Amino acid sequence: MNLNQIYSSRRTGNNPNTLASRTDFQRDFDRIIFSSAFRRLQNKTQVFPLPGSVFVHNRLTHSLEVSSVGRSLGSMIGEFIHDHFKNELTEDSRSFYLHNLGNVIAAGCLCHDVGNPAFGHSGEDAIASYFERNENHLKSKFQEKEWADLVNFEGNANAIRVLTHQQQGKDFGGTQLTFSTLASIAKYPCEAVARDKSQLHRKKFGFFQNEKNTFLEIAESTRLICESEDPYIFKRHPFVWLVEAADDICYNIIDMEDAHRLGIVSTADCQNLFFELVKSETDDVARVTRKLDSIGNDNERISYLRAKVINALINKSLQIYKDSFDQILNGKQDKALLDIYREENSSLKDIESFSIEKIYNHKAVVEIENAGYNVMYELLDHFIPSVLKSKDERKSYDKMALKLLPKQFVYEEGSDYQKTLGVIDFVSGMTDNFATDLYRKIKGIDIGMTM
């Protein structure tokens, strides 16, 4: 890949560049911040049920923190590329890597979760399994590749749709982000039929059939390496590894801090796990120990160590990225940056193993996943059968169900696939509270007028 050609300020919607004090890539960040899809993340579960008085992370606060880490990674790698490849770069490219790569990665991190439905990964599972469990009477309505999109529903692919799709009555090009930012979140740049769990870039899929042409424009504009055209499979863009690393750094560590605040994890366990990692990456353990001893509050001690751990993981990610840069640029890298580090340092592996046992399998987490799965599944079951009937076939209860669909999600003149995606747009965009409230109303659990 040519470093002068892998970024682009071109936007979805083909809007021309405008003269402004902000660069196109800074404007991406601002557009995401003010988008409704981003705001809805404030009431979408990250891991723990939102408990009210005890602060834990939701998808929005998680995304903000990932963006902060991503900006640091992008800025430092930008300096690395600028300094080490200066003679190969054009003047515009030198300016981009030195001043704007951090903005691209920050924007990519900010929007990396906008396609995730309510209730964490159980929401994704509910959408995919709805179609899988109803295969006998639904599959015949869709083409093979369309059906693959539905039974493998994926938040990453849905993010590309949320950010680029023109909803009914809305502006062309969706959020109208630059192709550079969109390429940076494409962790799995392939069609659903090309999924292959044995290969990192094909573990899931990256775009729906409805957005295929848009994705091909992104791929062409940012020079993604094409592995296959039928089905389409691309190698990851070099920026993706930085967005992924920022996300991995935050969720591995922040989930542990949240669990500590909720009393799920003891101070001793959390402190020991964090301290072991910090100890393995610092030359001045004594200074860290003195600082810890001077902090009397348990939460503050964990916060201090969390900051030290994140700093250590940022530095290791940077080093691994630099060491692997040729592989990354040529599309030959096959392991995530933190996966490489996890193999080198058992401390991170210990944190992950502890989290799986004590946090992700905690009763409160499992309960919200079960509840969320059922809510999302039942909402789809309320709308999908009705939307797939022709107007002449619809009974009064079908018509009543479809009256609950906002107009921007209704594609009456479209194919069955497009009608179905409209329902998925509506359901996947819901916050936890909205989905739960609507579920209770349509099931008759709550009856009464609310605004």
Side-chain angles (χ1 to χ4, degrees):
M1 299 181 82
N2 187 327
L3 287 168
N4 294 303
Q5 299 176 338
I6 63 173
Y7 67 93
S8 172
S9 60
R10 183 182 167 192
R11 298 182 178 279
T12 54
N14 293 316
N15 285 335
N17 295 346
T18 58
L19 296 176
S21 58
R22 298 168 297 156
T23 68
D24 289 300
F25 310 106
Q26 289 171 320
R27 290 166 63 206
D28 277 359
F29 187 94
D30 298 343
R31 288 181 181 211
I32 297 163
I33 283 283
F34 285 96
S35 69
S36 57
F38 180 74
R39 288 197 302 273
R40 285 195 294 269
L41 294 178
Q42 69 182 306
N43 201 9
K44 287 191 177 186
T45 299
Q46 174 67 13
V47 173
F48 300 105
L50 306 177
S53 59
V54 180
F55 172 78
V56 294
H57 288 76
N58 52 46
R59 288 277 178 187
L60 187 143
T61 50
H62 165 72
S63 297
L64 288 170
E65 291 176 350
V66 174
S67 184
S68 177
V69 171
R71 186 181 297 280
S72 297
L73 289 170
S75 295
M76 287 185 273
I77 290 301
E79 291 178 7
F80 163 77
I81 293 173
H82 174 273
D83 294 344
H84 285 74
F85 300 92
K86 183 178 293 187
N87 294 334
E88 301 173 26
L89 299 177
T90 65
E91 184 177 347
D92 285 345
S93 294
R94 288 196 291 270
S95 177
F96 169 78
Y97 288 109
L98 192 59
H99 302 297
N100 273 307
L101 181 56
N103 292 323
V104 171
I105 304 305
C109 291
L110 197 66
C111 65
H112 80 284
D113 267 353
V114 296
N116 286 46
F119 305 108
H121 292 297
S122 64
E124 286 180 302
D125 293 341
I127 295 172
S129 66
Y130 174 79
F131 295 98
E132 190 175 39
R133 289 167 63 179
N134 291 280
E135 179 176 348
N136 289 340
H137 62 276
L138 288 181
K139 186 176 181 180
S140 62
K141 297 179 180 292
F142 305 96
Q143 297 177 14
E144 178 189 0
K145 289 185 176 181
E146 293 173 346
W147 183 250
D149 287 351
L150 301 177
V151 295
N152 297 295
F153 177 85
E154 159 59 29
N156 288 277
N158 197 42
I160 294 293
R161 177 172 172 83
V162 168
L163 294 167
T164 66
H165 175 64
Q166 181 185 12
Q167 293 180 343
Q168 293 282 59
K170 297 199 174 183
D171 201 2
F172 181 58
T175 314
Q176 300 176 349
L177 302 181
T178 65
F179 287 171
S180 296
T181 295
L182 293 169
S184 76
I185 66 170
K187 291 173 65 175
Y188 313 106
C190 67
E191 297 183 69
V193 293
R195 289 171 69 253
D196 181 351
K197 290 188 176 181
S198 68
Q199 299 189 54
L200 181 61
H201 68 300
R202 295 169 59 187
K203 183 179 177 182
K204 300 178 183 179
F205 74 104
F207 53 91
F208 296 123
Q209 290 301 300
N210 199 74
E211 281 66 57
K212 180 195 281 190
N213 289 337
T214 299
F215 193 86
L216 293 180
E217 287 185 69
I218 295 168
E220 180 182 7
S221 186
T222 58
R223 302 299 194 271
L224 293 192
I225 298 172
C226 187
E227 185 177 309
S228 165
E229 291 187 0
D230 190 19
Y232 273 106
I233 304 170
F234 295 93
K235 297 294 188 180
R236 284 179 162 189
H237 192 282
F239 300 166
V240 168
W241 303 92
L242 299 174
V243 173
E244 179 181 58
D247 187 25
D248 288 349
I249 288 170
C250 288
Y251 86 74
N252 269 281
I253 305 308
I254 300 300
D255 291 350
M256 180 75 73
E257 185 180 20
D258 279 351
H260 173 260
R261 284 184 177 274
L262 292 170
I264 294 172
V265 174
S266 70
T267 300
D269 284 339
C270 191
Q271 182 168 310
N272 289 339
L273 287 164
F274 282 179
F275 188 74
E276 284 302 311
L277 194 148
V278 173
K279 187 168 65 174
S280 68
E281 296 297 337
T282 184
D283 296 326
D284 195 356
V285 177
R287 185 176 66 83
V288 175
T289 302
R290 287 195 301 272
K291 179 68 174 179
L292 276 176
D293 290 341
S294 71
I295 303 173
N297 182 279
D298 287 346
N299 286 336
E300 287 300 309
R301 280 206 300 276
I302 299 304
S303 293
Y304 168 72
L305 284 174
R306 177 258 299 150
K308 299 294 291 184
V309 169
I310 287 178
N311 183 64
L313 292 178
I314 287 174
N315 290 332
K316 293 303 297 186
S317 297
L318 288 169
Q319 189 57 55
I320 294 169
Y321 190 91
K322 293 174 183 178
D323 292 343
S324 309
F325 191 66
D326 288 342
Q327 293 280 93
I328 288 171
L329 205 59
N330 294 323
K332 296 179 180 179
Q333 180 77 359
D334 61 358
K335 286 184 181 177
L337 304 184
L338 254 67
D339 285 344
I340 294 173
Y341 179 63
R342 196 175 285 109
E343 293 176 358
E344 298 175 358
N345 191 325
S346 62
S347 298
L348 184 59
K349 191 180 298 182
D350 290 342
I351 290 174
E352 181 183 54
S353 299
F354 185 91
S355 297
I356 291 172
E357 179 184 356
K358 300 294 185 181
I359 299 175
Y360 303 134
N361 285 308
H362 188 271
K363 181 181 177 182
V365 176
V366 174
E367 285 176 346
I368 194 68
E369 288 182 348
N370 275 272
Y373 179 94
N374 288 322
V375 167
M376 300 297 279
Y377 186 97
E378 292 296 330
L379 288 175
L380 288 176
D381 199 42
H382 189 73
F383 295 112
I384 295 292
S386 297
V387 83
L388 290 178
K389 290 179 182 177
S390 67
K391 290 183 179 180
D392 294 337
E393 293 177 315
R394 289 173 186 164
K395 306 296 184 184
S396 59
Y397 57 81
D398 294 312
K399 295 175 183 177
M400 292 300 292
L402 296 182
K403 285 182 180 179
L404 294 175
L405 282 178
K407 290 182 179 180
Q408 66 263 34
F409 303 115
V410 178
Y411 301 93
E412 283 288 18
E413 305 306 318
S415 65
D416 286 344
Y417 174 65
Q418 290 168 329
K419 292 175 184 176
T420 300
L421 287 181
V423 173
I424 293 175
D425 290 344
F426 177 48
V427 173
S428 67
M430 294 178 181
T431 63
D432 293 19
N433 286 353
F434 185 88
T436 303
D437 289 346
L438 184 57
Y439 168 82
R440 292 173 66 87
K441 288 172 183 175
I442 64 175
K443 289 296 180 180
I445 299 170
D446 284 343
I447 298 177
M449 183 174 180
T450 56
M451 300 301 290

